[in-house]
Amino acid sequence: MKRLTMADIAREAGVSKGAVSYALNGLPGVSDKTRRRILDIAERHGFTPNSAARALTGSPAGAIGLVLCRPARTLGVEPFFMELISGIEGELSARSIALSLQVVKDHEAEIAVYHRWWAERRVDGVLVVDVRTADARLDAVRRLRLPAVVIAGPADFDGLPSVWSDDGAAITEAVEYLYALGHRRIARVGGLPDLLHTAVRTAAFQEVCARLGFTRAETVLSDYTGEEGDRVTRRLLISADRPTAIIYDNDVMAVAGLAVAQEMGVSVPGELSLVAWGGSLLCGMVHPPLTALTRDVAGYGANAARRLLTLLEEGTVDSYQDTTAHLVPRGSTGPVPSRPARRR
Amino acid sequence: MKRLTMADIAREAGVSKGAVSYALNGLPGVSDKTRRRILDIAERHGFTPNSAARALTGSPAGAIGLVLCRPARTLGVEPFFMELISGIEGELSARSIALSLQVVKDHEAEIAVYHRWWAERRVDGVLVVDVRTADARLDAVRRLRLPAVVIAGPADFDGLPSVWSDDGAAITEAVEYLYALGHRRIARVGGLPDLLHTAVRTAAFQEVCARLGFTRAETVLSDYTGEEGDRVTRRLLISADRPTAIIYDNDVMAVAGLAVAQEMGVSVPGELSLVAWGGSLLCGMVHPPLTALTRDVAGYGANAARRLLTLLEEGTVDSYQDTTAHLVPRGSTGPVPSRPARRR
DNA sequence: CTGAAAGCGCTTACAG
DNA sequence: CTGAAAGCGCTTACAG
């Protein structure tokens, strides 16, 4: 197949290339009749303007970028990113905007990618995820003036708009629920220590536990992998005064934790209640199904993408607080056992 | 930050733009001394040529495309794609080649994406996944002469090179293993009926079961989701002459199947053996951990990406048979119970 | 409302 | 070995 150009369309329509450009882009400068004729011809041939040529004249590249900075093997089991990507894609593909995806091993490499994308004009803007409490990437995109929406919060990212969700409120709800069920000894298996939302959750968890007067309320930070979920849970369950409830910062660790309980013969929810964070289908697939702090991750991604598109079009956009994750009680939580937990 | 162009570099080096181009691309036409000076200056400024301008002169776009045609919500829990993407990315990012990702809802939309990518010169080639027994997408990429590597096989895709894995041999190994453990009634919960590899597995499964003389050997086709894994497993377990072993076409359905067995009080592996397909970490995260047909999915993606890059460079590339998935026995399989399975 | 022309930032024959 | 120039396929002021 031959790749048509605007010159071909112009020739067939008997007009100039400029007229074709105006017609295709919906700009004034051609009569309605001519416009219609040009659009018909373009449509008939399935003509799409060469994106490189457009980009060269200063038009948008028609692509946005997403860099994932996680070890490859954990990306697979972690449903969060693929759901987020699905949501982002939904917004972009409706507008025929491409998503450029790159997986890197550290922030230095990620910043290099932003530099390259910027220099090459490859993307019009980026979505930044997994924000850390001190995050050099934010400085980098600011310096490059690369339009960006940060998926994290609440925080002031000094000029960078963000889309975020109130994780503090969500975890508070979960803890209050467990308190109401009678639990007084609780543990939390947290995510990567450096991440901003880990810090937010840790602070909220400690605050609510102190307020309600839990006998024991400890956070053990981990790394979201099943291995670590397994290891930390085992340690918690063999401890002298073991918790009667555990909250996990993602669903992968919670599933692993459930397996450990089963393996050790600790009944869930009879002797131990488990709460997962993350609403992926994973939580409903195990037995007992896991009570979880759930939110619409794909919708979260869609909101972020939409904000970025607005930023690109209007040059500015406000930060947006997405809905708070809510507790979906399933089979893994129940009243605290009246008899003391069996010591081991 | 100002975006530098080759003209800026040329001016600073006191040479023509052409010389800069030759130097940057490692072409003859400049002396070693001049080349070094130009490269130094470019390096110092972190100069990267504008990708749009390059693409416009017929150079590669520096991007390859991947279209995923699965419902958004199943993409999240299915570890396969994210692992595949991780592997692809590993090959591409080393060469600074971008991955354009798009999620579509049907093949018609996917073909439209290929057309657009081709017309816009957005990508240099594509990786085609989830090939069906009759697949219009293959015709489309052939007609467009869009360089493509098909991730599927074994089959002759009429000119399109492929990277594939012998699923028939793998499932045969699994069935023979179960036979050796004494199982004579077996079921398989298959993946989407239209997919080529589902057909390959079904044929091999029936062949080996017939050869070994199983009393019962049925394949129930499904859709890879946990819901269906749950539903089909429940139906199998309440059937009169229920199987003593079940093989699942992915790990998500297998995990769901395990939960059903636990819920119904069917001991695994005491009364029921389970084999999953897919080597994601998921299989090791449940209790008991699932015996699985495992393969290096990221490596599979890397191989496919590498083949595509070779195709782009050399204009042709052979198909490649990747390693066969192998059986990793874990806790979900065991000898068939000597007493007859409990009837319900 | 329409056409001719310059320019985006590269690559690549073509002369010197 | 080096420079000047044309051209890739668009967009967009600028004249008519």
Side-chain angles (χ1 to χ4, degrees), chain A residues 14-15 46 48 57 82 125 133 145 159 196 198 209 232 321:
Chain A
V15 298
T48 320
T57 64
M82 205 68 208
T133 42
R145 295 179 194 287
L196 176 61
T198 301
C209 289
V232 173
Q321 179 177 357

Side-chain angles (χ1 to χ4, degrees), chain A residues 63-143:
Chain A
I64 75 147
L66 175 68
V67 181
L68 263 29
C69 181
R70 289 270 184 111
R73 54 185 247 110
T74 72
L75 274 178
V77 276
E78 177 72 81
F80 179 81
F81 290 107
M82 205 68 208
E83 286 180 25
L84 191 76
I85 289 172
S86 299
I88 293 169
E89 262 297 303
E91 286 301 308
L92 298 185
S93 57
R95 312 221 211 168
S96 294
I97 293 176
L99 176 67
S100 264
L101 187 73
Q102 188 126 9
V103 180
V104 297
K105 64 172 212 302
D106 56 32
H107 276 192
E108 195 185 349
E110 180 164 341
I111 289 171
V113 169
Y114 291 144
H115 266 95
R116 192 161 51 75
W117 278 351
W118 172 84
E120 298 180 350
R121 272 185 191 276
R122 247 188 208 284
V123 301
D124 300 312
V126 295
L127 255 17
V128 181
V129 295
D130 273 350
V131 172
R132 302 193 191 155
T133 42
D135 200 313
R137 300 173 305 164
L138 302 184
D139 264 343
V141 296
R142 262 192 300 258
R143 252 201 312 274

Side-chain angles (χ1 to χ4, degrees), chain B:
Chain B
M1 281 179 88
K2 182 176 175 336
R3 217 177 304 241
L4 292 182
T5 69
M6 278 189 13
D8 299 313
I9 307 294
R11 195 175 318 115
E12 183 162 343
V15 298
S16 70
K17 292 188 322 184
V20 175
S21 177
Y22 293 137
L24 256 43
N25 293 308
L27 296 173
V30 283
S31 66
D32 272 8
K33 195 172 143 247
T34 310
R35 183 188 305 275
R36 200 172 316 272
R37 183 155 42 92
I38 292 170
L39 289 176
D40 277 355
I41 293 171
E43 167 102 356
R44 181 148 20 93
H45 291 299
F47 171 75
T48 320
N50 181 315
S51 62
R54 294 187 97 148
L56 198 51
T57 63
S59 307
I64 75 147
L66 175 67
V67 181
L68 264 27
C69 181
R70 289 270 183 111
R73 52 186 249 110
T74 72
L75 273 178
V77 274
E78 177 71 81
F80 180 82
F81 290 108
M82 206 67 210
E83 287 180 24
L84 192 75
I85 289 172
S86 299
I88 293 168
E89 262 297 304
E91 286 300 308
L92 298 186
S93 58
R95 312 223 212 167
S96 294
I97 293 176
L99 176 66
S100 264
L101 186 72
Q102 187 126 11
V103 180
V104 297
K105 65 171 209 305
D106 56 32
H107 276 191
E108 196 185 347
E110 182 165 341
I111 290 171
V113 170
Y114 291 144
H115 267 94
R116 191 160 51 75
W117 278 351
W118 172 84
E120 297 180 351
R121 275 187 191 275
R122 247 188 207 286
V123 301
D124 300 311
V126 295
L127 256 15
V128 181
V129 295
D130 274 349
V131 171
R132 302 193 190 153
T133 44
D135 200 314
R137 300 173 303 163
L138 303 184
D139 264 342
V141 296
R142 263 192 300 257
R143 253 201 312 275
L144 290 171
R145 298 181 192 286
L146 185 61
V149 166
V150 179
I151 303 187
D156 175 21
F157 298 114
D158 196 14
L160 299 179
S162 62
V163 171
W164 61 285
S165 171
D166 190 349
D167 282 9
I171 202 164
T172 299
E173 184 190 0
V175 172
E176 286 172 345
Y177 168 72
L178 292 169
Y179 184 86
L181 289 175
H183 295 273
R184 294 297 179 269
R185 294 197 310 284
I186 190 175
R188 167 169 164 265
V189 182
L192 291 164
D194 293 340
L195 296 181
L196 176 61
H197 68 256
T198 302
V200 168
R201 293 175 187 183
T202 300
F205 179 74
Q206 285 171 341
E207 196 275 326
V208 63
C209 289
R211 173 160 58 77
L212 296 176
F214 274 79
T215 311
R216 177 181 177 179
E218 110 187 73
T219 287
V220 185
L221 293 182
S222 177
D223 69 354
Y224 294 123
T225 65
E227 286 94 329
E228 277 296 292
D230 180 306
R231 207 176 58 75
V232 173
T233 304
R234 187 169 284 109
R235 241 183 34 216
L236 286 170
L237 292 185
I238 63 180
S239 68
D241 202 29
R242 81 171 188 224
T244 61
I246 307 179
I247 299 180
Y248 295 85
D249 262 18
N250 73 346
D251 33 25
V252 172
M253 295 193 295
V255 168
L258 173 63
V260 169
Q262 291 176 338
E263 168 212 315
M264 292 178 63
V266 176
S267 141
V268 174
E271 300 173 88
L272 178 70
S273 285
L274 300 179
V275 177
W277 198 302
S280 89
L281 298 174
L282 211 55
C283 295
M285 274 165 42
V286 290
H287 181 77
L290 295 171
T291 295
L293 285 165
T294 295
R295 103 193 130 160
D296 176 10
V297 175
Y300 195 41
N303 276 326
R306 215 175 300 126
R307 294 269 142 179
L308 180 55
L309 294 176
T310 303
L311 173 62
L312 295 176
E313 275 163 23
E314 305 182 1
T316 174
V317 72
D318 286 334
S319 289
Y320 176 74
Q321 177 176 357
D322 208 326
T323 52
T324 302
H326 60 279
L327 192 75
V328 178
R330 296 200 187 86
S332 67
T333 43
V336 71
S338 44
R339 60 191 173 82
R342 187 164 34 121
R343 300 291 159 85
R344 326 198 126 218

Side-chain angles (χ1 to χ4, degrees), chain A:
Chain A
M1 282 178 86
K2 181 173 173 341
R3 218 178 303 243
L4 291 181
T5 69
M6 277 190 12
D8 299 312
I9 307 294
R11 196 177 314 118
E12 183 163 340
V15 298
S16 70
K17 294 187 320 185
V20 175
S21 176
Y22 293 138
L24 257 41
N25 293 308
L27 297 172
V30 282
S31 66
D32 272 8
K33 195 171 143 248
T34 310
R35 184 188 304 274
R36 200 173 316 271
R37 183 154 43 91
I38 292 170
L39 288 177
D40 277 354
I41 293 172
E43 168 103 355
R44 182 149 19 94
H45 292 298
F47 172 75
T48 320
N50 180 314
S51 62
R54 293 187 98 149
L56 198 50
T57 64
S59 306
I64 75 147
L66 175 68
V67 181
L68 263 29
C69 181
R70 289 270 184 111
R73 54 185 247 110
T74 72
L75 274 178
V77 276
E78 177 72 81
F80 179 81
F81 290 107
M82 205 68 208
E83 286 180 25
L84 191 76
I85 289 172
S86 299
I88 293 169
E89 262 297 303
E91 286 301 308
L92 298 185
S93 57
R95 312 221 211 168
S96 294
I97 293 176
L99 176 67
S100 264
L101 187 73
Q102 188 126 9
V103 180
V104 297
K105 64 172 212 302
D106 56 32
H107 276 192
E108 195 185 349
E110 180 164 341
I111 289 171
V113 169
Y114 291 144
H115 266 95
R116 192 161 51 75
W117 278 351
W118 172 84
E120 298 180 350
R121 272 185 191 276
R122 247 188 208 284
V123 301
D124 300 312
V126 295
L127 255 17
V128 181
V129 295
D130 273 350
V131 172
R132 302 193 191 155
T133 42
D135 200 313
R137 300 173 305 164
L138 302 184
D139 264 343
V141 296
R142 262 192 300 258
R143 252 201 312 274
L144 290 171
R145 295 179 194 287
L146 185 61
V149 166
V150 179
I151 303 187
D156 175 21
F157 298 115
D158 195 14
L160 299 179
S162 62
V163 170
W164 61 284
S165 172
D166 190 348
D167 282 9
I171 202 162
T172 299
E173 185 190 358
V175 171
E176 286 172 346
Y177 167 72
L178 291 169
Y179 184 86
L181 288 175
H183 295 272
R184 294 297 178 268
R185 294 197 309 284
I186 190 175
R188 166 169 165 264
V189 181
L192 290 164
D194 293 341
L195 296 181
L196 176 61
H197 67 255
T198 301
V200 168
R201 294 176 187 183
T202 300
F205 178 75
Q206 285 173 340
E207 194 277 326
V208 64
C209 289
R211 173 162 57 80
L212 295 176
F214 275 79
T215 312
R216 177 180 176 180
E218 111 187 73
T219 287
V220 184
L221 295 183
S222 177
D223 68 355
Y224 294 123
T225 66
E227 286 95 329
E228 278 295 293
D230 181 306
R231 206 175 59 75
V232 173
T233 304
R234 186 169 284 109
R235 240 185 33 215
L236 286 170
L237 292 185
I238 62 181
S239 67
D241 202 29
R242 80 172 188 223
T244 61
I246 307 179
I247 299 178
Y248 294 86
D249 262 18
N250 73 345
D251 33 26
V252 172
M253 294 192 296
V255 168
L258 173 62
V260 168
Q262 291 175 339
E263 168 214 315
M264 291 176 64
V266 176
S267 143
V268 175
E271 300 173 90
L272 178 69
S273 286
L274 300 180
V275 177
W277 198 300
S280 89
L281 299 173
L282 211 56
C283 295
M285 275 164 43
V286 290
H287 181 78
L290 295 170
T291 295
L293 285 165
T294 294
R295 102 194 131 163
D296 176 11
V297 175
Y300 196 41
N303 277 327
R306 213 174 303 126
R307 293 271 142 179
L308 179 55
L309 295 176
T310 303
L311 173 62
L312 295 176
E313 274 162 23
E314 307 183 358
T316 173
V317 72
D318 285 334
S319 290
Y320 176 73
Q321 179 177 357
D322 208 326
T323 54
T324 302
H326 59 279
L327 191 74
V328 177
R330 295 201 188 84
S332 67
T333 43
V336 72
S338 44
R339 61 190 172 82
R342 187 164 32 122
R343 300 293 159 85
R344 327 198 124 217

